[in-house]
Amino acid sequence: MLLDQAELVLRERGIDALSLRELAREAGVSHGAPRSHFIDRNALLDALAERGFRRLADAIGAAAAQARGDYRETLRAAARAGLDFAVSDAALLDLMFAAKVNDPPDAVKEAAERLFVTVSEVIRAGVAAGVFAEHEVGRLTLLWSATVQGTSALVTSRRATIDQARAIIDDAIAVLLSGSLEGGASA
């Protein structure tokens, strides 16, 4: 419940509005109650980041699983799931990647790794489909991730519309699948 309330505050008012005392007030509990779950504000932020990484991994994995059959559709569905998450939870996404930078706790590292593994599995499905070579998985996972995250940043900063972002994603997937990367550096 506290994390749900914290996400709502983050989404509606931003990270600066998040405090344990304010969270307790809005949740209708004593001001000391959140401290039984989070030692301080940083622990709350880490818990939000961990939760965000897990939710994003689940969304991408579920979208890819539902689109199985046509690998282009698998990539598109997974990318759109990432884009949709970023648009609906831009502040959380910012928090997630900021939390990953400065020696995050193990739980945040593990959740971020889970997201990376999920994306790698989406790319690895391209190996099984005969689209990519096994040695390309690491490099293409990073490329796919950078494309989705960068495109999402364009939308959340209002430099691109969601329709433009979807077109960018579709174009990037077309390039990725066309073999245009064949001459690129190996991972």
Side-chain angles (χ1 to χ4, degrees):
M1 178 164 142
L2 285 175
L3 283 177
D4 292 337
Q5 185 64 38
E7 271 193 50
L8 183 65
V9 170
L10 181 64
R11 187 177 300 120
E12 292 178 354
R13 293 179 291 192
I15 195 167
D16 292 337
L18 271 177
S19 76
L20 292 177
R21 185 174 292 273
E22 184 64 20
L23 188 59
R25 187 185 67 70
E26 291 187 14
V29 297
S30 74
H31 73 276
R35 294 213 183 267
S36 65
H37 300 284
F38 310 106
I39 192 165
D40 59 16
R41 182 175 184 266
N42 285 335
L44 169 65
L45 297 177
D46 288 341
L48 284 170
E50 176 188 354
R51 186 181 199 194
F53 278 119
R54 292 187 188 287
R55 231 178 49 226
L56 180 54
D58 288 347
I60 289 171
Q66 288 177 348
R68 293 282 183 216
D70 176 359
Y71 186 63
R72 178 183 302 268
E73 287 307 312
T74 299
L75 284 174
R76 181 179 289 127
R80 286 188 175 183
L83 180 64
D84 291 346
F85 180 94
V87 170
S88 66
D89 282 308
L92 179 58
L93 190 72
D94 288 345
L95 171 66
M96 289 159 52
F97 287 98
K100 178 112 173 49
V101 173
N102 294 322
D103 195 30
D106 288 343
V108 174
K109 286 180 192 175
E110 289 166 10
E113 180 62 24
R114 180 171 171 232
L115 172 60
F116 188 78
V117 167
T118 300
V119 174
S120 292
E121 289 170 354
V122 170
I123 299 300
R124 194 169 306 284
V127 174
V131 176
F132 304 130
E134 178 67 35
H135 73 276
E136 296 178 308
V137 171
R139 179 174 59 93
L140 295 177
T141 297
L142 290 173
L143 178 61
W144 185 95
S145 298
T147 300
V148 173
Q149 191 171 351
T151 303
S152 297
L154 290 173
V155 174
T156 60
S157 67
R158 296 188 174 108
R159 291 180 285 173
T161 67
I162 192 72
D163 289 337
Q164 289 171 321
R166 287 184 177 138
I168 291 167
I169 295 289
D170 289 346
D171 289 346
I173 289 169
V175 169
L176 192 71
L177 295 175
S178 73
S180 296
L181 299 172
E182 200 58 34
S186 295

